[in-house]
Amino acid sequence: QVQLVESGGGLVKPGGSLRLSCAASGFTFSDYYMSWIRQAPGKGLEWVSYISGDGSIIHYADSVKGRFSVSRDNSKNSLSLQMNSLRGEDSALYYCVREAGHSGYDALDHWGQGTLVTVSS
Amino acid sequence: AIQMTQSPSSLSASVGDTVTITCRASQGIRYELGWYQQRPGKAPELLISSASTLHSGVPSRFFGSGSGTDFTLTISGLQPEDFATYYCLQDYNYPRTFGPGTKVEVK
């Protein structure tokens, strides 16, 4: 079965950096577009970033553009999110999510359990 | 970016009730919309894609409809496990945008 397991969250000071990882299993990882979605405590869902199966197509939310960088290693079935210049408003639970199809414009059919990022001095 | 709105923001209902949630896009998105359920402390789960396609394993009491700018999610015969927050998400373009959510609470 599809499994997505995030790691790398934690407490970081404003201006600091953190790298999130997502280990995928149960499907052919390289065939699927992957996204990062976040949810601040008690708030709604926010799409953060997306990467195509071969890594050639990448999009970011304006709120993280220039600070976050998404990448993937298909040989290791791994997705990463490098987060730099972190701000308080980046504090959230970060979900690793698989897109259902192969077009990049599909629903999000599998979600990890999330990893918590807290940005605070 | 396309703005998504949802109404109501919350509603109170009883087991067995039928509830309807509305999602509106700031511009036409054809039928490129999904609905997600999030139970407290859990990750969201896909209910419906392409506005009306029930995701595998989702009970048939969930029904999605709409196209263009106006969409609805109807839950017929509310069950205890359906008390949750529901989000719509447009799949039409980037940046992807979610609605603010509708919380379905026990009356």
Side-chain angles (χ1 to χ4, degrees):
Chain A
Q1 72 281 18
V2 173
Q3 280 201 315
L4 300 168
V5 180
E6 303 93 338
S7 61
L11 175 63
V12 61
K13 289 181 170 54
S17 297
L18 211 55
R19 187 176 183 87
L20 306 184
S21 296
C22 172
S25 59
F27 63 104
T28 304
F29 183 66
S30 59
D31 283 351
Y32 288 86
Y33 292 69
M34 300 293 296
S35 289
W36 288 98
I37 308 292
R38 69 184 181 183
Q39 186 170 36
K43 302 297 184 183
L45 300 168
E46 181 187 14
W47 173 83
V48 173
S49 182
Y50 138 109
I51 185 169
S52 60
D54 64 0
S56 63
I57 303 171
I58 289 173
H59 291 286
Y60 297 101
D62 286 345
S63 57
V64 307
K65 202 172 293 183
R67 301 187 298 121
F68 288 14
S69 177
V70 64
S71 61
R72 63 191 298 160
D73 185 341
N74 288 340
S75 69
K76 296 181 179 178
N77 292 345
S78 176
L79 176 72
S80 296
L81 185 68
Q82 177 66 41
M83 304 186 297
N84 299 329
S85 303
L86 283 162
R87 306 166 180 167
E89 55 264 36
D90 296 319
S91 296
L93 189 63
Y94 284 73
Y95 292 104
C96 169
V97 185
R98 190 188 84 164
E99 302 233 343
H102 307 282
S103 73
Y105 295 88
D106 296 295
L108 309 176
D109 68 345
H110 287 277
W111 298 59
Q113 288 306 302
T115 187
L116 185 63
V117 172
T118 303
V119 183
S120 175
S121 54
Chain B
I2 297 174
Q3 306 299 315
M4 306 299 293
T5 57
Q6 283 182 239
S7 61
S9 57
S10 66
L11 64 91
S12 297
S14 301
V15 172
D17 285 352
T18 293
V19 301
T20 297
I21 299 167
T22 297
C23 178
R24 177 164 290 173
S26 61
Q27 68 181 71
I29 58 171
R30 300 187 302 193
Y31 52 86
E32 312 288 355
L33 184 113
W35 288 99
Y36 298 81
Q37 177 194 65
Q38 186 176 33
R39 298 186 177 110
K42 300 295 186 183
E45 295 181 348
L46 175 63
L47 295 175
I48 288 170
S49 61
S50 300
S52 61
T53 302
L54 208 60
H55 185 56
S56 175
V58 174
S60 58
R61 62 180 179 271
F62 291 92
F63 178 79
S65 65
S67 66
T69 59
D70 296 311
F71 302 86
T72 59
L73 172 69
T74 300
I75 311 171
S76 301
L78 207 61
Q79 295 298 301
E81 60 268 29
D82 299 337
F83 293 98
T85 300
Y86 294 84
Y87 296 93
C88 59
L89 168 67
Q90 63 86 7
D91 301 325
Y92 184 74
N93 69 4
Y94 286 86
R96 298 274 195 97
T97 40
F98 287 91
T102 295
K103 187 173 184 178
V104 177
E105 300 175 298
V106 177
K107 182 182 285 185

